[in-house]
Amino acid sequence: MKRTSIVILAIVGLLAVCFLWGVGINNKLVNTEENVSQAWGQVENAYKRRADLIPQLVATVQGAANYEKGTLTEVIEARAKAGSVQVDANNLTEANVAQFQKAQDALSSALTRSINVVVERYPELTATQGFRDLQVQLEGTENRIATERGRFNDAVNAYNKMLRRFPNNIIAGICGFDKKGYFTAPEGSENPVEVKFDF
Amino acid sequence: MKKILILLLLLPTLAVSAQDLWCPEPTNRLVNDYSGILSPSDRETLERRLVAFDDSTSNQILIIITPSLHGCEIMELGTRIGTTWGVGQKDLKNGLVILIKSKTEEEPYGDVALVPGYGLEGALPDAFCKHIIDEQMVSPLSDGDYYTALTQALDVIEPVCRGEYSYADYKKEERQALWFFLGFLLVMVVVLVLAHQYDKKHHKDDHGDHFSGGTGRRSNPYWGGFFFPGGGSSWGGHSGGFGGFGGFGGGSFGGGGAHGRF
């Protein structure tokens, strides 16, 4: 009688220790995941900033003397398409991040091409202060995007590493933590199209 | 065998640092001229000016002049330096990095970047940074007059940053810490007084007059040690008083700003 109660007590104690240990790991994962979400918020901010600059670009170019309507169609469409791909911070799977990146990278190259066209077609425009300021802002925005993407990747890296390490992976499986996606170097980035910022 | 093991352990870290992640070692100065272009007196003047600006507004401006970017993109390097060194206060994120790549024989082009921390992006938007570079810096820089370029830029930057974050903003946060400290002090004093009284009583009861003189004297270093050396300096200021720079505050950077060639 006494022996069984000791055994039961030991088992209960062991279970309690296991439970507390699991809660500890779970909390660590939650913290790291929160860092990823925060970094994602910054990434979205940077991309939103760029999307907000495009109407300004359109307005500036429309002021050019011999403006043709078709000049900026591509970038306007790409902006709309990129805006329609939103990823929730709780759902940063590899597929979602890749899809988001694809839409944004399409906007990047459309933007680059459009600016090059504008510079070629409306040389007098490039001399105006408004256009120059806009270019500086676009360049700054690209820098911000690169910075926040890098930080997001670092945060995901830390999270994925923690997730996959034994025994964290057992707890992660029970509590439903999933691997998160990275930003990758876009296709064709080995020979990127340069924006003509210096002229 | 041991050497090989160590080498194997070091390899991954080498591989990472060998990529384009160059960053100068943090120093405890606000003006860092690795090209040796500024005269010592000009450097001192700038340093004093920036330390005074930090003391009066808590905005930190770091100047770096380097002969080479080591293959890095200048804006990226500026952002990395700002983050690694922690320029600006941690909460206000009010740091600014002025990074100048000087012309050298091997790399005969100059480049200057203004990289504000997150908190100063409002006061120094990218286009404004570009204006400062074009209008205040490029011309004297191409003449080799780095000191004039820097003072002219600071003449524009300082009032703008002062408008964004005054010393009052910084003090507000520091004041909270001060109240916390005073509360802590009060509790400690109460505890010590109680302990002292208990001690006195205890000794009297147990040992009579024999120890009472000794107890009185023994309590003196207690009080002195508590009030004088620790109390004053721990919350006295964020930048160790006159002359020297008190250290970077841990600000963060998001990649904003602008640069221009000269």
Side-chain angles (χ1 to χ4, degrees), chain A residues 48-62 72 75-76 79 107 111 134 138:
Chain A
K48 184 167 183 309
R49 189 190 178 96
R50 181 172 71 179
D52 291 345
L53 282 175
I54 290 168
Q56 214 177 317
L57 171 72
V58 174
T60 311
V61 178
Q62 270 172 349
L72 295 172
V75 74
I76 293 167
R79 176 182 186 261
L107 177 55
L111 193 56
L134 193 61
L138 281 170

Side-chain angles (χ1 to χ4, degrees), chain B residues 20 22 25-26 35 55 62 68 81 93 97 114 164 175 179 182 191 212 215 224 230 234 240 259:
Chain B
D20 53 349
W22 180 76
E25 270 306 300
S35 300
D55 283 346
L62 170 69
S68 170
I81 290 172
K93 304 179 171 72
V97 177
L114 295 183
E164 189 81 359
R175 217 172 296 140
W179 280 119
L182 285 178
V191 167
S212 64
T215 330
S234 64
H259 76 109

Side-chain angles (χ1 to χ4, degrees), chain B residues 212-250:
Chain B
S212 64
T215 330
R217 239 178 292 142
R218 199 167 36 175
S219 66
N220 271 340
Y222 238 140
W223 292 94
F226 191 70
F227 273 118
F228 299 112
S233 57
S234 64
W235 46 271
H238 65 290
S239 51
F242 306 103
F245 171 54
F248 295 103

Side-chain angles (χ1 to χ4, degrees), chain A residues 42 129 133 140 143-144 148 151, chain B residues 83 118 126 131 253-256:
Chain A
Q42 294 287 65
Q129 196 61 58
D133 284 353
N143 287 334
R144 286 183 177 86
E148 300 303 352
R151 282 184 195 158
Chain B
T83 310
Y118 281 114
D126 301 351
H131 284 260
F253 288 69

Side-chain angles (χ1 to χ4, degrees), chain B residues 100-103 109-112 138 141-142 146 260-262:
Chain B
I100 304 178
K101 189 235 162 275
S102 58
K103 284 182 192 170
Y109 67 93
D111 209 346
V112 53
V138 166
L141 281 174
S142 14
Y146 285 50
R261 296 260 171 122
F262 62 89

